[in-house]
C-alpha cells in the first residue's frame, strides 16, 4: 500500500528566502508525482508533474525533483513571496484499483512572513 | 480558473436528506474523479470514471452514488449521510487516467 509523507507539517519563513518542501513515498513503483497548492477552503491547483522517467521539472520560481529509488521528492521555491502562502500537497500515481491511484500526503502549510 | 466547476460550493443537509453534487469540466478530458478531503487527513480517492465508465470504487459506502452521464459531467448523489461524511468533496479531471489532474474548487458539505 502506497503511503505518502510530507515533512514538515507547517513552515514559516521570511519573505525573500529560498525554501524546500519534502515528500517521501513508500512504494517506488510510481507512474508520476504531482505537486499541488491549496488555498484555504479551496480546491487544488496543479503546480508541477514529474513523470517517473524524469528527475526534475521547473516552472518559474518552482523546481521539483524526483528520486524514485529513494522514494523522495522535493519542491524548491526560490525568492518566496507572501502570495506563496498556502498548503502544498504532494501526490503520487501508482498502480491501484483500476488503472491508477493517486495517493496524497497530508500537506505542508507554508506561511511567508512579509 | 481551472476549467473544472463544482456546484454547489457549500451544502448543509440533514441525515435523512437526498442531495446531489455536480461537477463539470470544460477541458475535453476523458477521465473524472471524486475525492473526499476531511480535516487533518490526506485526500481520499472515492471514484474514478474513464470514458464515462466507472473504473472501480474505492470501498466507498453505498450512501454515495456516482453518476457520469457524459465525459463532461460527473455527479455524486448523497442519501442518508452521517455526520462523519462532512468534508470537502473535490472533483478532478484528466485527459486520460495517469495524466495530470485538474481540480475543481470543491463542495463544502456539512451533515447535521
Amino acid at each position: 500500500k502506497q503511503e505518502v509523507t510530507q515533512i514538515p507539517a507547517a513552515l514559516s519563513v521570511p519573505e525573500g528566502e529560498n525554501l524546500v518542501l519534502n515528500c517521501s513515498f513508500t512504494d517506488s513503483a510510481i507512474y508520476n508525482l504531482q505537486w499541488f497548492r491549496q488555498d484555504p477552503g479551496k480546491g487544488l491547483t496543479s503546480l508541477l508533474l514529474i513523470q517517473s522517467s524524469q528527475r526534475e521539472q521547473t516552472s518559474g520560481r518552482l523546481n521539483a525533483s524526483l528520486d524514485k529509488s529513494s522514494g523522495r521528492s522535493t519542491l524548491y521555491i526560490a525568492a518566496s513571496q507572501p502570495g506563496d502562502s498556502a498548503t502544498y500537497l504532494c501526490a503520487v500515481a501508482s498502480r491501484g484499483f483500476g488503472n491508477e491511484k493517486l495517493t496524497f500526503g497530508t500537506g505542508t502549510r507554508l506561511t511567508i512572513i512579509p | 480558473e481551472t476549467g473544472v466547476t463544482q456546484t454547489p460550493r457549500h451544502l448543509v443537509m440533514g441525515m435523512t436528506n437526498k442531495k446531489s453534487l455536480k461537477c463539470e469540466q470544460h477541458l475535453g478530458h476523458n477521465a473524472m474523479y471524486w475525492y473526499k478531503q476531511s480535516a487533518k487527513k490526506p485526500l481520499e480517492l472515492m471514484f474514478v470514471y474513464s470514458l464515462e465508465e466507472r473504473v472501480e470504487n474505492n470501498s466507498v459506502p453505498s450512501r454515495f452514488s456516482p453518476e457520469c452521464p457524459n465525459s463532461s459531467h460527473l455527479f455524486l448523489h448523497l442519501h442518508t449521510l452521517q455526520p462523519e461524511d462532512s468534508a470537502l468533496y473535490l472533483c478532478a479531471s484528466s485527459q486520460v487516467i495517469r495524466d495530470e489532474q485538474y481540480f475543481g474548487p470543491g463542495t463544502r458539505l456539512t451533515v447535521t
Side-chain angles (χ1 to χ4, degrees), chain A residues 16-88:
Chain A
E17 284 198 4
N18 303 325
L19 59 100
V20 174
L21 306 180
N22 297 294
C23 172
S24 61
F25 47 94
T26 55
D27 185 353
S28 61
I30 67 171
Y31 300 128
N32 59 57
L33 183 145
Q34 200 165 353
W35 281 94
F36 297 88
R37 69 172 281 167
Q38 184 174 30
D39 294 285
K42 296 189 177 180
L44 279 65
T45 301
S46 177
L47 298 173
L48 291 164
L49 181 144
I50 311 176
Q51 300 292 349
S52 62
S53 58
Q54 297 175 319
R55 297 283 295 183
E56 66 178 340
Q57 280 285 339
T58 298
S59 176
R61 294 183 293 108
L62 305 179
N63 176 276
S65 68
L66 174 64
D67 184 342
K68 200 171 65 168
S69 61
S70 67
R72 294 180 182 176
S73 175
T74 61
L75 179 66
Y76 175 83
I77 303 177
S80 59
Q81 302 171 358
D84 295 330
S85 297
T87 296
Y88 289 80

Side-chain angles (χ1 to χ4, degrees), chain B residues 14-45:
Chain B
M15 294 169 62
T16 58
N17 291 158
K18 290 184 179 181
K19 297 287 184 182
S20 296
L21 310 184
K22 179 183 177 181
C23 175
E24 184 174 359
Q25 59 95 1
H26 312 275
L27 302 170
H29 289 168
N30 292 311
M32 296 187 77
Y33 312 79
W34 278 118
Y35 287 89
K36 175 184 179 182
Q37 187 176 33
S38 304
K40 302 189 185 302
K41 289 185 179 180
L43 268 77
E44 302 171 63
L45 181 62

